[in-house]
Amino acid sequence: MSIPKLVVLLSSFLSVVAAWDIHNHNHRRACQAPSRNPKSGCDHNKTLYVHQTSPTADFRSVQAAVASLPNNTNTYIILIGTGNYTEQVNVTRSGPTYLLGQTTSPKNYKANTVNIIWRQAALLGDNAYTSTLTVAPNLNASLTGSGPTGFAVPDDTPFGCVDFRSYNLNFINDYLPYSATPSLALSISRANGGFYYTGFYSYQDTIYVGKLGNAYMRGGEVAGQTDFFYGFGTLWATQIAVTLRSCGGGITAWKGTNTTFPNKYGVYITDSTILAANSSIAATIYHKCPLGRPWNAQHRSIFARNYLDDSILPAGYIDWSGRYNNYTLQAEYQDYGPGYNATARAASNFTKVLTDREWEPYSSAKKVFGHPDGRLGWDSWVDYDA
Ligand SMILES: *[C@@H]1O[C@H](CO)[C@@H](O)[C@H](O)[C@H]1NC(C)=O
Ligand SMILES: *[C@@H]1O[C@H](CO)[C@@H](O)[C@H](O)[C@H]1NC(C)=O
Ligand SMILES: *[C@@H]1O[C@H](CO)[C@@H](O)[C@H](O)[C@H]1NC(C)=O
Ligand SMILES: *[C@@H]1O[C@H](CO)[C@@H](O)[C@H](O)[C@H]1NC(C)=O
Ligand SMILES: *[C@@H]1O[C@H](CO)[C@@H](O)[C@H](O)[C@H]1NC(C)=O
Ligand SMILES: *[C@@H]1O[C@H](CO)[C@@H](O)[C@H](O)[C@H]1NC(C)=O
Ligand SMILES: *[C@@H]1O[C@H](CO)[C@@H](O)[C@H](O)[C@H]1NC(C)=O
Ligand SMILES: *[C@@H]1O[C@H](CO)[C@@H](O)[C@H](O)[C@H]1NC(C)=O
Ligand SMILES: *[C@@H]1O[C@H](CO)[C@@H](O)[C@H](O)[C@H]1NC(C)=O
Ligand SMILES: *[C@@H]1O[C@H](CO)[C@@H](O)[C@H](O)[C@H]1NC(C)=O
């Protein structure tokens, strides 16, 4: 046998015996690909299959599969078959929990085949009850509360999932097709979550990253109208589509908190596009959408290297009714496109354009995430290769 043939044989043998790895794109692609035996290509010992009708499915709903998992440190994978699931999903367990949508195009969120849909607004009670997906150890951890510091989460509340992930899923809160009180698609608190090629669709308060919540997003979409990235925790979103379904409040409305650990809490949106949902909405929001407004004095947000269409307010950020003009930071770094008016930004009292040196401490996900014990750079749960 020739040496090259031997190498091929050896490497295919090694790839068979090597452990299934969520970070290995080929392993994940094989698991997500629809097939007659849906779990083929998956890590068999750890994977549950959800489908509404298939006889091979372990569960008919996502939440039934999540609820079956023990609260331990083991890793579990839930493969979700093509379909529209009307349900709320609530992940409280602490071990790694990975939700995968079935797809033939794992790098294209527009080809996602799984929609998880809920329709609820916070007419009575806390915003927490409305969310399509919740990742938090218990109800207290996920409550928004009110006032500048929000709900006083008891100190003895445990940390929830250390490594939650969603690949190729859409989470939708379709309460009404416009802003009509908070209607969350994602609520994550006291937990770490990675959202890859994942779409979140609502109108008001689409994304909530609550206290001690760390969220990383890559390659998906977030659609909304009013304050649709809000919270107390830390969100790093990169290479996503931010879709303006109209505008109200700001794109971001962060509170920030310093009652916890010294990570760089705030919302960071980088290398993304910020565009009107379509041309008819674009005509009505020309130069109207603020990048953000400070929900309390610890608001911190940075938009970096994004393409902005002309929906964006020329001044960038705004104040919130004169309430909090001492926010921590409302900033931009190298944004561009017709929504970036350098003259109007410079004249604004609420937008700070960062220099290279000022951007440097925030310039990567690694630099902004923190650990409950105070260490910085706790990002082992992030799939940078997705
Ligand atoms: C499944 O678990 C069994 C028993 O622990 C082990 O022998 C086998 O290698 C595992 N298979 C995979 C694909 O991890
Ligand atoms: C899910 O709902 C959407 C919108 O109603 C529809 O276009 C799509 O075909 C549905 N998907 C499945 C798998 O039923
Ligand atoms: C899960 O286990 C952790 C660690 O033992 C504990 O702190 C937490 O309260 C448990 N969560 C649930 C939902 O039971
Ligand atoms: C999620 O489940 C936990 C444990 O059952 C429960 O305490 C909590 O209320 C649920 N969260 C929401 C937002 O319903
Ligand atoms: C939730 O917080 C309240 C205090 O605000 C406390 O009385 C209650 O025991 C907490 N519940 C849980 C399950 O920790
Ligand atoms: C444009 O987007 C808005 C906001 O999502 C939606 O209400 C409207 O139906 C869309 N119009 C078209 C023509 O798609
Ligand atoms: C947050 O609190 C820590 C610990 O008290 C302190 O070192 C840090 O400077 C504070 N950060 C901000 C932004 O206030
Ligand atoms: C920040 O602004 C708030 C609201 O105006 C005010 O209550 C607070 O005292 C201010 N903090 C500082 C440090 O100026
Ligand atoms: C940018 O903003 C300035 C100051 O508000 C304004 O005079 C100018 O017309 C704007 N430029 C464009 C291209 O909109
Ligand atoms: C910025 O604040 C100063 C002082 O309060 C005020 O005179 C000026 O008009 C403000 N500029 C803008 C663009 O709002």
Side-chain angles (χ1 to χ4, degrees):
M1 186 184 288
S2 69
I3 298 288
K5 273 190 185 149
L6 186 65
V7 169
V8 167
L9 192 73
L10 267 176
S11 60
S12 65
F13 174 73
L14 286 174
S15 74
V16 168
V17 297
W20 194 92
D21 179 6
I22 188 87
H23 293 104
N24 183 320
H25 180 69
N26 292 329
H27 290 184
R28 190 158 44 72
R29 174 187 279 271
C31 179
Q32 289 181 279
S35 59
R36 205 153 50 85
N37 174 8
K39 285 199 266 189
S40 70
C42 302
D43 188 345
H44 280 268
N45 288 349
K46 298 177 180 165
T47 307
L48 301 174
Y49 178 54
V50 176
H51 191 274
Q52 286 160 327
T53 54
S54 166
T56 61
D58 300 300
F59 293 94
R60 297 270 175 247
S61 78
V62 182
Q63 184 56 22
V66 168
S68 77
L69 303 178
N71 178 26
N72 57 21
T73 57
N74 294 348
T75 298
Y76 284 97
I77 295 162
I78 298 176
L79 174 66
I80 308 169
T82 300
N84 292 324
Y85 299 80
T86 302
E87 55 173 308
Q88 282 179 296
V89 175
N90 178 358
V91 177
T92 57
R93 73 186 299 268
S94 51
T97 306
Y98 306 151
L99 271 46
L100 310 185
Q102 236 176 16
T103 181
T104 51
S105 307
K107 295 218 170 189
N108 178 10
Y109 76 88
K110 291 181 181 167
N112 288 353
T113 71
V114 177
N115 296 315
I116 301 176
I117 305 158
W118 194 245
R119 302 190 169 93
Q120 191 168 332
L123 301 175
L124 293 166
D126 196 89
N127 298 357
Y129 297 106
T130 70
S131 194
T132 310
L133 171 64
T134 301
V135 184
N138 58 32
L139 180 63
N140 274 352
S142 66
L143 295 175
T144 297
S146 60
T149 56
F151 179 75
V153 180
D155 286 342
D156 62 356
T157 303
F159 199 77
C161 200
V162 296
D163 181 1
F164 173 83
R165 301 188 201 182
S166 152
Y167 294 87
N168 303 99
L169 301 171
N170 295 332
F171 294 94
I172 300 166
N173 189 334
D174 249 0
Y175 173 66
L176 279 175
Y178 51 83
S179 254
T181 81
S183 309
L184 282 49
L186 170 65
S187 170
I188 175 166
S189 304
R190 271 184 146 81
N192 301 321
F195 304 90
Y196 307 95
Y197 306 97
T198 294
F200 294 99
Y201 304 88
S202 177
Y203 290 82
Q204 186 167 336
D205 299 351
T206 309
I207 301 296
Y208 176 61
V209 180
K211 293 178 178 174
L212 298 196
N214 290 312
Y216 179 92
M217 293 184 181
R218 185 188 182 100
E221 178 173 18
V222 176
Q225 170 179 347
T226 304
D227 299 340
F228 59 100
F229 289 90
Y230 90 104
F232 295 92
T234 308
L235 168 61
W236 180 276
T238 192
Q239 294 172 39
I240 65 163
V242 175
T243 299
L244 303 164
R245 297 176 133 183
S246 185
C247 45
I251 295 171
T252 61
W254 221 258
K255 289 207 190 195
T257 177
N258 200 23
T259 56
T260 52
F261 53 87
N263 71 342
K264 299 194 181 90
Y265 52 80
V267 52
Y268 305 89
I269 299 176
T270 78
D271 303 293
S272 296
T273 60
I274 304 181
L275 306 176
N278 55 50
S279 56
S280 50
I281 207 78
T284 71
I285 62 176
Y286 177 74
H287 281 182
K288 282 190 183 155
C289 299
L291 292 174
R293 56 178 186 165
W295 195 12
N296 77 359
Q298 272 88 43
H299 174 117
R300 173 163 43 213
S301 61
I302 305 178
F303 286 83
R305 294 184 302 254
N306 301 292
Y307 175 84
L308 313 179
D309 81 4
D310 58 19
S311 310
I312 299 301
L313 185 77
Y317 289 90
I318 55 172
D319 193 11
W320 193 326
S321 318
R323 279 193 291 171
Y324 304 119
N325 56 12
N326 58 3
Y327 52 84
T328 303
L329 191 62
Q330 294 196 137
E332 283 181 285
Y333 177 73
Q334 294 185 358
D335 281 341
Y336 61 102
Y340 188 75
N341 181 329
T343 316
R345 299 295 208 273
S348 160
N349 287 329
F350 302 107
T351 305
K352 180 165 175 59
V353 177
L354 302 177
T355 62
D356 293 353
R357 182 187 286 257
E358 287 165 336
W359 163 241
E360 204 281 329
Y362 308 103
S363 58
S364 68
K366 207 174 270 303
K367 288 176 185 167
V368 304
F369 289 119
H371 186 276
D373 73 7
R375 276 177 288 148
L376 287 173
W378 188 51
D379 63 345
S380 58
W381 49 276
V382 175
D383 182 357
Y384 288 111
D385 302 325

